[in-house]
């Protein structure tokens, strides 16, 4: 397949993707704009159609007096047991929250809040348990990628927030996403700041709380230090498996 970047033209930063059946769904940051968190679908990861927004009611997100580059940061979209979840941060009010829907073309729920520091939250589901992660400072005062178990119905923390990885050495460690591949846990993150030093790094562990060991050839995706390229500032990433196992 031949295609030209960008595959979604316009102001759509920090994409996150999930796959349900043969369809991919994508969400992006929306910052101070309303409605919030644009939602797209695709059959091939190249041709995308916008099908709505996740935040369409004022009761879902506080955007009054939000400055430019404030508001809704780096959403993550996930699917579990027939339900879609979108989790994000209102960086201006310093609140993590998620909304859910059983109908991807319909309305999303009222927000459910999680009491953890940082930005760029993500959800991971395993064995009927839900894990919530973000960057930030854990309950023991350690900064890094922070994780806890939550009650998915209420957002209540069931375990203390604990730092599971401190990154590969780049500044502004953020945007964590967890995956289980061939029995191992992979933690993908962004480092270097949302600018020209941005990069995707990852670490791997045998258990959900580590010890996570960084990939020796990090970063795995970046255009840092390559001034003049058409696509720059590459950092926030999400993994997806296509219909052919790639």
């Amino acid at each position: 397949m031949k295609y030209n970047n960008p595959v979604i033209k316009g102001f759509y930063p920090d994409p996150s993707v999930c796959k349900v059946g043969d369809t991919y769904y994508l969400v992006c940051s929306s910052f101070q704009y309303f409605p919030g968190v644009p939602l797209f679908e695709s059959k091939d990861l190249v041709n995308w159609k916008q099908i709505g927004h996740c935040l369409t009611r004022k009761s879902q997100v506080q955007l009054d007096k939000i400055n430019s580059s404030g508001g809704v940061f780096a959403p993550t979209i996930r699917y579990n047991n027939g339900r879609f979840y979108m989790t994000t941060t209102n960086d201006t009010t310093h609140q993590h929250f998620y909304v859910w829907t059983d109908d991807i073309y319909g309305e999303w729920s009222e927000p459910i809040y999680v009491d953890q520091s940082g930005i760029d939250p993500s959800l991971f589901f395993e064995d009927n348990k839900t894990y919530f992660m973000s960057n930030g400072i854990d309950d023991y005062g350690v900064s890094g990628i922070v994780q806890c178990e939550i009650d998915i119905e209420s957002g209540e923390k069931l375990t203390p927030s604990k730092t599971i990885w401190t990154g590969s050495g780049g500044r502004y460690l953020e945007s964590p996403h967890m995956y289980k591949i061939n029995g191992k846990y992979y933690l993908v993150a962004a480092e270097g700041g949302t600018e020209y030093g941005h990069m995707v790094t990852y670490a791997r562990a045998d258990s959900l709380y580590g010890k996570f060991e960084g990939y020796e050839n990090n970063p795995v995706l970046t255009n840092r230090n390559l001034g003049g390229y058409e696509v720059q500032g590459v950092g926030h990433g999400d993994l997806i498996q296509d219909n052919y196992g790639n």
Side-chain angles (χ1 to χ4, degrees):
M1 178 182 294
K2 292 183 178 180
Y3 64 93
N4 294 317
N5 276 317
V7 293
I8 303 178
K9 297 179 180 179
F11 177 62
Y12 300 108
D14 308 327
S16 172
V17 183
C18 74
K19 180 174 175 289
V20 181
D22 64 351
T23 305
Y24 304 95
Y25 299 96
L26 179 150
V27 293
C28 298
S29 293
S30 54
F31 299 100
Q32 73 268 32
Y33 294 100
F34 185 83
V37 186
L39 174 66
F40 296 82
E41 71 174 3
S42 173
K43 295 291 187 180
D44 58 11
L45 290 172
V46 172
N47 299 289
W48 294 92
K49 176 184 177 182
Q50 186 168 356
I51 58 174
H53 292 81
C54 299
L55 304 176
T56 57
R57 303 184 303 278
K58 291 183 179 180
S59 60
Q60 292 173 305
V61 60
Q62 171 63 38
L63 292 176
D64 290 346
K65 300 178 181 178
I66 300 294
N67 293 328
S68 178
S69 296
V72 176
F73 276 24
T76 299
I77 187 168
R78 292 293 182 259
Y79 179 81
N80 186 61
N81 290 337
R83 179 165 287 180
F84 290 90
Y85 296 88
M86 186 284 295
T87 181
T88 188
T89 306
N90 186 334
D91 185 62
T92 302
T93 61
H94 307 294
Q95 290 177 304
H96 289 306
F97 67 94
Y98 55 91
V99 292
W100 57 266
T101 186
D102 295 326
D103 177 9
I104 195 66
Y105 303 105
E107 290 286 306
W108 292 68
S109 72
E110 289 299 299
I112 300 172
Y113 296 95
V114 179
D115 183 17
Q116 185 165 283
S117 74
I119 59 172
D120 299 357
S122 185
L123 294 172
F124 178 75
F125 299 94
E126 184 178 52
D127 297 333
N128 295 317
K129 294 183 178 181
T130 305
Y131 299 89
F132 181 92
M133 66 204 69
S134 65
N135 80 347
I137 301 173
D138 70 10
D139 291 345
Y140 308 97
V142 180
S143 63
I145 299 303
V146 178
Q147 180 172 268
C148 67
E149 183 185 344
I150 64 168
D151 180 338
I152 192 62
E153 297 296 325
S154 66
E156 178 186 2
K157 286 172 57 173
L158 302 178
T159 64
S161 296
K162 182 180 180 181
T163 290
I164 57 175
W165 193 46
T166 56
S168 68
R171 65 175 182 167
Y172 303 139
L173 177 63
E174 58 190 10
S175 185
H177 296 310
M178 186 77 74
Y179 317 89
K180 191 173 185 180
I181 304 171
N182 296 328
K184 291 186 178 292
Y185 296 90
Y186 288 80
L187 179 61
V188 172
E191 298 183 57
T194 307
E195 50 198 48
Y196 298 130
H198 221 18
M199 55 185 175
V200 179
T201 60
Y202 83 92
R204 185 173 70 179
D206 292 325
S207 68
L208 194 56
Y209 280 92
K211 182 181 179 179
F212 280 89
E213 297 183 359
Y215 177 50
E216 63 182 7
N217 291 320
N218 276 327
V220 292
L221 178 67
T222 186
N223 273 3
R224 64 182 304 178
N225 303 325
L226 297 175
Y229 275 51
E230 185 174 357
V231 179
Q232 299 186 46
V234 178
H236 282 241
D238 210 348
L239 290 180
I240 199 72
Q241 187 176 57
D242 68 13
N243 294 321
Y244 307 101
N246 299 308

